[in-house]
Amino acid sequence: MNQVFSALADPTRRAILHLLREGEKNAGELAAPFNISKPSVSHHLQVLKSAGLVLDERRGQQIYYSLNTTVFQDVMAWVMTMTDRGEPQQQ
């Protein structure tokens, strides 16, 4: 969970996740809106992938990235336990 929150702390990574809400994109499509180098975008994608927030799939010479909604569901479940007065429920 710490890795997820660390990844979400960066505004560029949050912007990349926002772009992926529209659907899968390759690294070039994700880099286009930013005024940073492609290696920097690759680093951000690697951090998001390591945190489990994005999935990647190679198709030929392109790698396509998509959101891993399962991790977002886990984070939301944890946030919801913070609003409960009782103990977190086991799943």
Side-chain angles (χ1 to χ4, degrees):
M1 187 78 67
N2 288 341
Q3 211 173 5
V4 171
F5 287 119
S6 179
L8 293 173
D10 185 274
T12 301
R13 291 193 281 269
R14 290 193 307 268
I16 290 170
L17 293 172
H18 188 75
L19 289 170
L20 289 172
R21 284 181 32 198
E22 300 167 3
E24 66 181 17
K25 297 188 181 322
N26 64 40
E29 293 169 323
L30 290 169
F34 301 101
N35 191 22
I36 58 176
S37 68
K38 288 187 180 184
S40 292
V41 171
S42 293
H43 169 73
H44 287 300
L45 288 168
Q46 184 58 44
V47 170
L48 291 168
K49 184 179 166 189
S50 294
L53 293 166
V54 298
L55 303 170
D56 64 344
E57 179 183 341
R58 179 172 290 280
R59 293 187 207 144
Q61 293 191 5
Q62 296 286 326
I63 299 174
Y64 286 86
Y65 296 88
S66 60
L67 290 177
N68 182 1
T69 56
T70 303
V71 173
F72 287 103
Q73 291 169 350
D74 292 344
V75 170
M76 290 307 299
W78 178 81
V79 169
M80 295 304 291
T81 66
M82 299 307 291
T83 62
D84 291 343
R85 298 261 193 248
E87 294 293 318
Q89 295 183 1
Q90 298 292 325
Q91 292 184 347

